[in-house]
Amino acid sequence: MGDADRFLIVGAGLFVLGAIGFVTRRNLILMILSAELMLHGVSLTLVTFGHLHATNEGQAFTIFTLTVAACEAGLALSLVLLLYRNSGSLDIQLWSELRESDMPAPAGGFPKEEPGTEPRVSPGYDGLPRLTPAGRVPTDPSRSSNASASTSVRT
Amino acid sequence: MMQWMTGHPVSVFGLILWAAGILWLMPGTKIAASRPRIPGLVMSTLGVLALCGSAGAGQSDLAASFLFWLFAVGALVSGVLMITATYPVYSALWFAVVTLCTCGLFVLRSAPFLAAATIIVYAGAVIVTFLFVIMLAQQSGAAGYDQTSRQGKMATISAFVLLGAIVMAVQTPAAAGSPVVAGDAVAGDAVAAAPAVSNPATVANTLSLKDEQHEVGNLKGLGRSLFGDYLYAVEMAGTLLLIACIGAIAIAPRREQGTL
């Protein structure tokens, strides 16, 4: 179909590269950067379609995409700072404790990097929301042996 | 699908070569001595060249064609290097290169204002704040989790199956009677030859259309589209920015004296 094809393929390639990066990287910041890479691919596709149809709508959509991407970057960075504050590391693998208790461990089976990098929550830290205890404590057979992890989550 | 694969062997070859280059460059699941990066880089570049070259040259002149190749190969190869770099600072810098090359492609698609805005927002604000956080959090170079990857082979293969599907959809000629062809009153291969000016009777947002005074992509036409057709959306985008700003301040950890 000519000239627009090449731009569409480049946009798709950027999107796919961002998807690979989001899945494979273990650094929180690089995961967010990969999501931004996917947004670049989408923007290029929108602009190409706008050029093809000779309207300004593609570029108007891209400006809104840019706005949402800026919001996303700001919010994501503050979340990353909070997670870094609680774990002392940018590794996403440390937060696999947040999965459902009946789910298996994340595939790959990485050994812990070094001892002492588990998510630690300092007891005096008041930045986390505190929920009022209500009802009885649910029994969790799969984690009853792992007492330290459950207390750190519940604190 | 088999028809497409036999009809476009260069595209399939480019896809496979590109995926092989990424797999070569991708760090393994265990920390190990890194392989030499040159073969993966060469494979990725050749794959990108084959894939983009198979899409047809179009009618563009030599200068535009050269700029397209420069920016497209620059964007895609920098993207490969970004997702496979073992130092996060290098990744952020390669992302800046991807942003600049994408903005070059925006200019080629007659979107100069958008290119300037993207450079200002991304290269000026986003990358700088990300580099700031990386340097705050990792002052001692690359950590172990940066030198390993999760499920690299599965992710690459499935992502390239997706890319192959998209390329196949792009390269398959549109069937006669499909909505795009019917709405634009042009058939199949003629879309690029004569840019399809949509019929105003079938379009809701008439202010976004191109006419004599309002070319596609210049400030006048884009502003007319944004503040004419999308006025409420612009207001909502401003509100969204305000809410995100408040949310970021509320989520960010309180700072003790002299610490992060």
Side-chain angles (χ1 to χ4, degrees):
Chain A
M1 273 168 51
D3 204 16
D5 276 9
R6 305 190 296 181
F7 288 85
L8 292 180
I9 288 177
V10 173
L14 285 178
F15 183 86
V16 161
L17 284 180
I20 295 175
F22 189 83
V23 174
T24 56
R25 295 315 298 254
R26 289 175 63 193
N27 192 322
L28 282 167
I29 293 179
L30 293 189
M31 290 174 73
I32 302 168
L33 271 183
S34 300
E36 305 276 346
L37 189 63
M38 294 168 82
L39 283 176
H40 272 326
V42 174
S43 300
L44 187 57
T45 306
L46 280 174
V47 169
T48 304
F49 278 137
H51 182 84
L52 188 66
H53 289 272
T55 75
N56 280 312
E57 287 185 327
Q59 299 187 27
F61 283 179
T62 308
I63 285 182
F64 291 122
T65 311
L66 206 63
T67 312
V68 175
C71 296
E72 175 225 322
L75 282 175
L77 272 182
S78 57
L79 280 171
V80 164
L81 275 180
L82 191 65
L83 292 180
Y84 175 72
R85 172 80 178 248
N86 284 344
S87 71
S89 166
L90 289 176
D91 192 3
I92 190 71
Q93 203 83 24
L94 296 178
W95 295 96
S96 57
E97 279 294 319
L98 294 180
R99 68 185 186 275
E100 294 288 328
S101 60
D102 54 345
M103 295 296 286
F110 294 101
K112 293 272 196 224
E113 293 294 333
E114 57 258 28
T117 54
E118 297 87 19
R120 53 180 164 77
V121 178
S122 54
Y125 180 58
D126 56 350
L128 293 176
R130 290 179 188 282
L131 300 181
T132 310
R136 61 185 176 81
V137 178
T139 57
D140 189 352
S142 69
R143 284 203 188 161
S144 55
S145 60
N146 197 359
S148 64
S150 58
T151 47
S152 71
V153 168
R154 204 182 298 134
T155 313
Chain B
M1 193 181 87
M2 289 307 295
Q3 195 179 0
W4 174 76
M5 286 175 75
T6 52
H8 297 82
V10 183
S11 298
V12 179
F13 175 70
L15 280 172
I16 293 174
L17 202 59
W18 193 9
I22 290 180
L23 282 176
W24 178 275
L25 288 171
M26 182 84 69
T29 54
K30 290 191 176 60
I31 301 176
S34 61
R35 281 175 281 204
R37 297 177 69 81
I38 299 294
L41 199 56
V42 170
M43 277 194 280
S44 300
T45 311
L46 289 180
V48 168
L49 284 171
L51 188 60
C52 294
S54 69
Q59 298 83 11
S60 51
D61 54 9
L62 193 62
S65 184
F66 172 73
L67 286 177
F68 168 79
W69 285 107
L70 181 69
F71 291 135
V73 175
L76 292 176
V77 173
S78 305
V80 171
L81 288 173
M82 175 201 148
I83 63 170
T84 55
T86 48
Y87 286 86
V89 176
Y90 289 172
S91 276
L93 293 178
W94 281 120
F95 180 70
V97 178
V98 174
T99 305
L100 291 179
C101 290
T102 311
C103 290
L105 292 174
F106 282 173
V107 172
L108 289 183
R109 290 286 89 175
S110 65
F113 171 73
L114 202 53
T118 306
I119 286 181
I120 290 170
V121 170
Y122 275 96
V126 172
I127 307 248
V128 170
T129 44
F130 275 73
L131 276 177
F132 186 66
V133 173
I134 289 174
M135 289 176 179
L136 268 179
Q138 292 187 332
Q139 290 164 350
S140 60
Y145 52 85
D146 280 325
Q147 298 172 17
T148 58
S149 64
R150 286 185 305 182
Q151 301 281 317
K153 293 185 181 62
M154 286 297 292
T156 308
I157 290 170
S158 53
F160 270 83
V161 168
L162 171 66
L163 181 60
I166 296 175
V167 170
M168 187 177 79
V170 167
Q171 288 182 342
T172 305
S178 68
V180 173
V181 176
D184 295 335
V186 289
D189 291 343
V191 169
V197 178
S198 305
N199 185 9
T202 65
V203 183
N205 297 321
T206 51
L207 288 178
S208 301
L209 288 181
K210 169 187 176 182
D211 57 14
E212 287 78 20
Q213 288 94 32
H214 306 97
E215 285 294 316
V216 168
N218 65 1
L219 266 184
K220 206 170 170 182
L222 192 55
R224 194 171 129 97
S225 172
L226 268 183
F227 296 105
D229 286 332
Y230 297 106
L231 182 58
Y232 293 118
V234 168
E235 296 292 333
M236 288 180 65
T239 316
L240 179 69
L241 275 173
L242 178 68
I243 293 172
C245 191
I246 296 172
I249 293 171
I251 291 173
R254 303 287 172 271
R255 203 165 73 97
E256 292 165 11
Q257 199 67 34
T259 59
L260 174 63

